[in-house]
């Protein structure tokens, strides 16, 4: 088999693919400067005569798949295969694999770091100090930037998959009571409390969003929920912006109904005027979609995808099933 790899892949990962599958053509998108557009990806697949594709951000549209319906599989180095026309792949019997939790550690660490940064007024203190504002009076900064501790705060997770559970584990020893809303989680650590969405917003000191984008989750978080939050509560979203109605979030911020928000995702990237109204709000700690941006994440997606591919391939060889089966393979997030 000949595999075209356009995702970032380390040397050991490429060697593993060669050992199990055959030829590997490595054309990562990074030197290209951006993800491959559909026409570019189609041309690359056809010029290399690839039998399979491992991608990250490229536009794997219905047109690409229809033009390459012979593909044995598509591997996606992302938490969800949102850049792939899944229905078209399924129609052609092309299994799609992806890498849930590849960035779980990165996002969880940044959650803890940013929450503490926000609660301790760290950025405001740095700006004040660099502005040469420290005049006479040793206790000026101590009084002006006194913050709150994370320990003892109730953290509510909307969505309790790999990332939410990893954060919960990190916060256990602070300690922080953990509660969550997730209708798909039926078994969990008894230390964590399953609650309704309304109760979670009303009783949490920190509300953190960990939802995928589906028809059910788009715009799920609205003013009716946000306005239930405690006045000193903090809203955190490191998942997907469109699950929150941004006008409603801006409204609760402008009405000072909550202490503030920590946001890593926005409806438009780059942001539009409304996004910048949220970003520029004094009670918002914004970051440019970097919660999952660590060098280690690329090693994680290689490990996860290679193990999945090798297990699947070996199983197919043992059972005698044809390589490109008719069943779309999915993993619970």
């Amino acid at each position: 088999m000949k595999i075209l790899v356009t995702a970032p892949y380390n040397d050991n990962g490429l060697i593993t693919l060669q050992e199990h599958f055959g030829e590997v053509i490595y054309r990562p998108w990074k030197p290209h400067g951006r993800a491959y557009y559909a026409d570019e990806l189609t041309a690359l697949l056809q010029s290399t005569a690839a039998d399979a594709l491992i991608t990250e951000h490229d536009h794997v549209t219905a047109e690409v798949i229809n033009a390459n319906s012979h593909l044995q599989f598509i591997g996606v180095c992302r938490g969800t295969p949102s850049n792939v026309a899944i229905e078209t792949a399924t129609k052609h019997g092309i299994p799609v694999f992806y890498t849930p939790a590849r960035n779980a550690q990165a996002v969880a660490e940044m959650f803890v770091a940013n929450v503490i940064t926000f609660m301790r007024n760290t950025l405001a203190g740095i700006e004040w100090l660099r502005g040469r504002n420290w005049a006479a009076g040793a206790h000026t900064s101590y009084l002006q930037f006194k913050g709150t501790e994370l320990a003892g705060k109730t953290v509510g997770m909307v969505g309790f998959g790999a990332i939410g559970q990893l954060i919960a584990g990190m916060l256990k020893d602070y300690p922080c009571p953990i509660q969550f809303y997730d209708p798909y989680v039926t078994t969990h650590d008894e230390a964590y409390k399953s609650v309704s969405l309304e109760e979670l917003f009303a009783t949490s000191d920190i509300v953190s969003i960990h939802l995928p984008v589906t028809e059910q989750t788009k715009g799920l978080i609205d003013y009716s929920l946000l306005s239930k939050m405690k006045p000193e509560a903090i809203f955190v979203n490191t998942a997907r912006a469109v699950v929150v109605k941004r006008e409603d979030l801006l409204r609760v911020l402008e009405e000072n109904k909550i202490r503030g928000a920590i946001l890593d995702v926005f409806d438009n990237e780059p942001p539009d005027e409304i996004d910048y109204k949220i970003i520029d709000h004094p009670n918002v700690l914004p970051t440019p979609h970097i919660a999952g941006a660590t060098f280690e994440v690329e090693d994680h997606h290689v490990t996860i995808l290679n193990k999945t591919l090798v297990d699947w391939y070996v199983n197919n060889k043992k059972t005698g099933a044809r390589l490109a089966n008719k069943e779309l393979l999915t993993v619970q997030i």
Side-chain angles (χ1 to χ4, degrees):
M1 188 190 303
K2 188 184 292 186
I3 303 175
L4 172 64
V5 179
T6 60
Y9 239 69
N10 59 40
D11 290 342
N12 288 337
L14 293 172
I15 290 169
T16 298
L17 290 177
Q18 289 174 338
E19 290 174 344
H20 286 88
F21 294 96
E23 185 178 351
V24 175
I25 303 129
Y26 189 42
R27 298 287 189 276
W29 66 265
K30 283 186 175 180
H32 188 63
R34 56 169 172 75
Y36 289 101
Y37 294 140
D39 58 339
E40 296 170 323
L41 187 59
T42 295
L44 189 57
L45 282 163
Q46 293 180 348
S47 66
T48 58
D51 302 303
L53 171 66
I54 294 177
T55 178
E56 186 180 27
H57 297 299
D58 307 311
H59 300 253
V60 190
T61 63
E63 291 74 20
V64 172
I65 296 172
N66 285 330
N68 295 276
S69 59
H70 65 285
L71 290 175
Q72 300 288 288
F73 65 80
I74 298 171
V76 188
C77 295
R78 300 183 66 173
T80 56
S82 55
N83 59 316
V84 177
I86 297 293
E87 290 184 4
T88 306
T90 305
K91 182 182 71 174
H92 289 293
I94 304 171
V96 177
F97 303 90
Y98 56 105
T99 56
R102 70 165 185 158
N103 63 359
Q105 185 70 27
V107 175
E109 288 184 9
M110 192 160 175
F111 170 90
V112 176
N114 281 357
V115 167
I116 293 174
T117 295
F118 186 95
M119 296 178 77
R120 296 298 301 273
N121 301 310
T122 305
L123 297 181
I126 292 170
E127 185 177 348
W128 178 87
L129 185 59
R130 287 178 173 169
R132 308 299 191 267
N133 294 301
W134 202 340
H139 297 296
T140 304
S141 57
Y142 179 85
L143 296 172
Q144 186 171 342
F145 300 110
K146 184 177 288 188
T148 53
E149 296 176 0
L150 176 56
K153 303 300 184 292
T154 297
V155 179
M157 308 283 187
V158 183
F160 202 51
I163 294 173
Q165 292 183 37
L166 187 57
I167 293 172
M170 288 181 175
L171 298 181
K172 242 182 178 181
D173 295 330
Y174 267 76
C176 289
I178 304 294
Q179 55 188 13
F180 70 91
Y181 168 78
D182 193 324
Y184 298 101
V185 173
T186 55
T187 59
H188 58 86
D189 189 320
E190 291 184 357
Y192 310 141
K193 181 182 178 184
S194 176
V195 297
S196 70
L197 198 54
E198 291 74 15
E199 182 180 350
L200 185 144
F201 273 82
T203 61
S204 298
D205 299 302
I206 300 164
V207 174
S208 188
I209 307 302
H210 302 284
L211 294 173
V213 178
T214 67
E215 289 304 314
Q216 291 72 37
T217 63
K218 286 180 183 177
L220 175 66
I221 312 304
D222 59 10
Y223 186 80
S224 66
L225 288 170
L226 293 165
S227 61
K228 293 182 188 300
M229 292 175 67
K230 300 177 181 180
E232 289 301 311
I234 299 168
F235 180 80
V236 185
N237 190 1
T238 55
R240 291 291 182 266
V242 296
V243 303
V244 181
K245 291 185 176 179
R246 61 176 179 168
E247 291 84 359
D248 292 355
L249 176 58
L250 180 59
R251 180 181 170 188
V252 297
L253 288 166
E254 290 179 337
E255 292 175 350
N256 291 315
K257 286 189 174 292
I258 62 174
R259 179 173 176 179
I262 300 170
L263 306 172
D264 187 55
V265 289
F266 304 94
D267 275 39
N268 299 281
E269 298 179 1
D272 65 7
E273 184 178 353
I274 297 176
D275 292 321
Y276 273 119
K277 282 186 178 180
I278 297 172
I279 291 166
D280 292 337
H281 193 281
N283 295 333
V284 170
L285 192 165
T287 50
H289 206 149
I290 57 173
T294 66
F295 292 104
E296 291 84 356
V297 164
E298 294 180 3
D299 293 329
H300 297 331
H301 74 217
V302 169
T303 300
I304 294 168
L305 187 60
N306 275 8
K307 182 180 186 309
T308 302
L309 288 174
V310 170
D311 288 349
W312 170 77
Y313 182 58
V314 169
N315 182 62
N316 271 272
K317 285 173 64 176
K318 285 181 179 177
T319 60
R322 81 182 189 91
L323 195 56
N325 60 39
K326 293 289 185 183
E327 182 179 336
L328 175 66
L329 303 183
T330 59
V331 181
Q332 176 70 34
I333 300 174

